[in-house]
Amino acid sequence: MSHYASKVQTKAMALLQEGFGTRFKTYRNTPMLQVTAGDLPILAVHILRERREQDEHANHAEPRFKHQLTLGFSGAVHAETDEQNVLYPLENMMSEIDDILL
């Protein structure tokens, strides 16, 4: 993972924290091995993939790369077993990510 990818992930997280505020209790940049009810609701930003390809000529002048970064966004709330098919406010909040970041 490059420094550029980390900077983009960090900025995306900062914007989301500012945009959502206390609507999410926990924000994460790394996967959690275990999530407890006290951590919910939670929003995470993960670097899923990064590709760098040469831009123009590989052996001519200084090296330049085209970067492609794929970020993943995940959210979770507590749902009772018999209510798992109910649309929670999480659905609406996750759709707000585009508005906040773009």
Side-chain angles (χ1 to χ4, degrees):
M1 172 174 54
S2 72
H3 179 65
Y4 295 114
S6 297
K7 287 175 68 172
V8 170
Q9 179 192 32
T10 300
K11 184 62 177 180
M13 179 58 83
L15 290 170
L16 292 173
Q17 285 176 324
E18 182 181 324
F20 287 116
T22 59
R23 289 193 284 167
F24 285 102
K25 183 176 182 180
T26 307
Y27 291 91
R28 297 287 301 198
N29 281 328
T30 58
M32 293 179 74
L33 298 177
Q34 185 175 14
V35 177
T36 64
D39 298 322
L40 300 173
I42 185 170
L43 178 67
V45 179
H46 302 289
I47 296 173
L48 300 179
R49 180 180 180 177
E50 179 188 20
R51 287 180 47 183
R52 290 186 282 175
E53 297 176 349
Q54 71 184 25
D55 187 17
E56 299 180 16
H57 303 288
N59 296 319
H60 181 62
E62 66 186 46
R64 294 181 184 183
F65 298 95
K66 293 180 183 179
H67 294 263
Q68 294 179 347
L69 176 65
T70 303
L71 292 178
F73 303 97
S74 62
V77 295
H78 177 72
E80 296 295 333
T81 304
D82 58 343
E83 297 178 356
Q84 291 185 5
N85 289 326
V86 175
L87 289 178
Y88 287 92
L90 176 64
E91 297 292 328
N92 294 329
M93 289 192 297
M94 295 304 287
S95 65
E96 287 181 52
I97 289 175
D98 287 346
D99 296 334
I100 292 171
L101 295 181
L102 301 176

